[in-house]
Amino acid sequence: MKTPNFLLPAAAAGILALTLSACAGGGGTTGGGGGSGDAEQGLDGRGPITYVQGKDNSNVVRPLIEKWNADHPNEKVTFKEQTDQADQQHDDLVQHFQAKDAGYDVVDVDVVWTAEFAAKGWLQPLKDKMAIDTSAMLKPTVESGTYKGTLYAAPQTSDGGMLYYRKDLVPTAPKTWDEMMSMCSIAKENNIGCYAGQFSKYEGLTVNASEAINSFGGSVLDKDGKPSLNTDEAKTGLENLAKAYADGNIPKEAITYKEEESRQAFQDGKLLFLRNWPYVYNLATTEGSSKVKDVLGLAALPGVDGPGASSLGGHNLAVSVYSKNKATALDFLKFMTSEETEKFYATQGSLAPVLTSLYEDEELVAKLPYLPVLKTSIENAVPRPVTPFYPAVTKAIQDNAYPAIKGEKSVEDALADMQKSIESAGAGS
Ligand code: GLC
């Protein structure tokens, strides 16, 4: 069977898309929703716009918008803040795009939504008049905003999973999963949970299940973009989570954790190890209520015999094809991804910058000791499948990883069903 192109991992898809666009003369809005007319209108429009993003946990967006608004009285930005859940953010955007809402001008796009939104024709291609310079940005972040050779979303902040740990209880971070599990006796002695990630049934579970699989040498897709879950490596990876849940090394309540619940548990001193994104560093070291302020350690995710593989996360900024004020939107987008703003994301919110130079900025590294770990995490991160049908793919992973971790379905059956559902998600394309 021929591999459906849409299932190629980002890097391979990038090469293929470049080839395609070289033949076809570039990308463009070809999908059902937008239509080329929408991408042609509003290009010179200036005026008030709305920026839509998930909950501003790190409190970086408000001060930036205040600054922008003070300098642009006729092009003010209104911040529409969504919930802190990736799936709800996604569905809200889909509903507004489907309604061709001109009121959602600039939207924050999770790296895994680019292909779907671009294929539907909802995102303004960032080329010609709308082009932005991405040459100084980390390559994986640019790829995450690109679909079929065209940039649709400007890299804003990247995300790589890291292991937070309690330095007071574990002097040296574990390098492997087995080592980490062997340290769970320390958690027991201290009457706290050992390890948590994000295991609630939502996008975060796809991230965590993929990391478990990738870190043990498996992969969701093979190098040709075909689902490849029927391997011993994938089985060991997912089994690790199921075993840890069964024996209590992952506390029972972690099955309801998303990013914020797991951060809270760690900050409250209830966990020895936490897998989470970089934003946790700032909050856990500065929030008054944090019990781990002075004892927080950071390391790479543990793998089979060394560092594991993070799923590539992150958020990019796109302009809706339905916006009437695209000239303002583009300026705002440049402002939100400028070097100064990228520095602010890092210093204020411990978010991962997309500019390569900032990871080598001595002053910044001195202030933010996690930057080298984070850079390695991002550079080695594995993108989730790049496909317009991503909602079906992530559902297949969640629907099966969840009961497998809970012990309600065997890991073997879960992986076989995942494999089948991902295959059929691409049927007919
Ligand atoms: C973070 C990541 C994003 C991921 C989400 C899952 O926001 O940046 O890529 O999809 O977490 O909850």
Side-chain angles (χ1 to χ4, degrees):
M1 197 188 86
K2 202 177 156 284
T3 303
N5 294 337
F6 70 85
L7 281 177
L8 292 176
I15 294 163
L16 181 85
L18 279 174
T19 321
L20 287 179
S21 70
C23 307
T29 51
T30 52
S36 54
D38 298 305
E40 303 311 319
Q41 61 87 32
L43 292 174
D44 298 318
R46 292 197 170 272
I49 56 168
T50 296
Y51 171 52
V52 187
Q53 193 208 275
K55 191 161 185 296
D56 184 22
N57 290 322
S58 308
N59 196 25
V60 289
V61 173
R62 261 180 214 89
L64 286 169
I65 290 184
E66 264 168 37
K67 194 171 164 214
W68 166 275
N69 285 348
D71 293 343
H72 300 84
N74 299 320
E75 296 172 282
K76 282 199 173 158
V77 174
T78 303
F79 180 30
K80 153 108 201 235
E81 192 175 24
Q82 302 166 303
T83 71
D84 60 9
Q85 274 194 54
D87 301 39
Q88 290 173 356
Q89 295 158 14
H90 169 269
D91 295 352
D92 177 60
L93 292 180
V94 168
Q95 277 165 17
H96 284 263
F97 282 136
Q98 278 172 342
K100 305 191 173 193
D101 185 358
Y104 270 30
D105 299 275
V106 176
V107 299
D108 197 51
V109 177
D110 190 313
V111 293
V112 283
W113 309 332
T114 312
E116 178 197 359
F117 292 178
K120 290 256 168 71
W122 291 336
L123 307 182
Q124 183 71 33
L126 298 178
K127 58 177 194 175
D128 308 328
K129 250 188 177 173
M130 297 292 288
I132 62 150
D133 182 8
T134 57
S135 56
M137 295 172 175
L138 286 171
K139 219 167 142 234
T141 70
V142 179
E143 276 166 3
S144 75
T146 301
Y147 181 62
K148 295 199 171 174
T150 297
L151 187 74
Y152 286 93
Q156 180 194 21
T157 51
S158 189
D159 248 348
M162 296 189 293
L163 186 73
Y164 293 83
Y165 68 99
R166 289 278 299 271
K167 273 200 299 206
D168 52 334
L169 301 176
V170 176
T172 319
K175 289 205 166 45
T176 68
W177 175 269
D178 290 345
E179 208 185 313
M180 179 166 80
M181 288 298 110
S182 74
M183 291 175 171
C184 285
S185 54
I186 302 173
K188 238 184 221 143
E189 282 157 23
N190 286 277
N191 247 331
I192 60 174
C194 186
Y195 172 77
Q198 295 74 45
F199 305 120
S200 175
K201 203 169 170 193
Y202 79 118
E203 186 58 34
L205 178 60
T206 298
V207 166
N208 280 256
S210 307
E211 281 173 356
I213 291 168
N214 291 324
S215 293
F216 270 73
S219 61
V220 176
L221 307 179
D222 65 17
K223 62 176 183 356
D224 297 323
K226 273 207 268 187
S228 54
L229 289 153
N230 45 8
T231 62
D232 287 346
E233 289 84 0
K235 191 172 161 228
T236 313
L238 191 54
E239 237 164 36
N240 281 334
L241 292 181
K243 264 193 214 148
Y245 188 74
D247 65 23
N249 283 345
I250 294 177
K252 292 290 170 263
E253 55 271 27
I255 200 74
T256 65
Y257 286 176
K258 298 182 289 299
E259 279 82 5
E260 279 294 86
E261 291 88 348
S262 62
R263 170 176 76 85
Q264 210 55 61
F266 185 71
Q267 269 187 219
D268 289 347
K270 293 182 187 151
L271 280 173
L272 185 56
F273 300 110
L274 167 73
R275 178 258 171 241
N276 212 324
W277 306 106
Y279 86 100
V280 167
Y281 179 83
N282 169 58
L283 296 172
T285 50
T286 60
E287 279 195 343
S289 58
S290 172
K291 298 204 167 90
V292 299
K293 249 186 228 151
D294 304 318
V295 291
L296 182 152
L298 257 182
L301 294 177
V304 59
D305 50 20
S310 165
S311 294
L312 180 66
H315 295 264
N316 302 328
L317 292 175
V319 178
S320 163
V321 286
Y322 305 115
S323 170
K324 303 264 183 277
N325 289 327
K326 289 178 186 162
T328 299
L330 179 65
D331 285 352
F332 179 64
L333 203 133
K334 288 179 179 164
F335 164 75
M336 290 292 274
T337 57
S338 71
E339 180 169 350
E340 199 187 333
T341 303
E342 288 292 323
K343 246 190 192 165
F344 181 70
Y345 291 139
T347 51
Q348 168 79 11
S350 69
L351 302 175
V354 295
L355 292 174
T356 317
S357 61
L358 294 186
Y359 290 86
E360 273 114 54
D361 182 313
E362 275 175 31
E363 211 182 308
L364 211 57
V365 176
K367 199 165 171 195
L368 308 168
Y370 61 88
L371 279 180
V373 174
L374 182 56
K375 185 164 183 241
T376 312
S377 167
I378 292 171
E379 281 173 342
N380 297 326
V382 182
R384 282 160 280 169
V386 174
T387 159
F389 309 112
Y390 185 75
V393 172
T394 187
K395 186 172 183 308
I397 298 174
Q398 294 166 37
D399 282 353
N400 290 292
Y402 188 77
I405 294 171
K406 280 182 94 177
E408 290 164 358
K409 188 169 186 174
S410 76
V411 166
E412 240 159 57
D413 287 353
L415 289 173
D417 290 350
M418 224 183 257
Q419 172 93 8
K420 255 187 270 158
S421 301
I422 296 179
E423 265 160 13
S424 64
S429 67

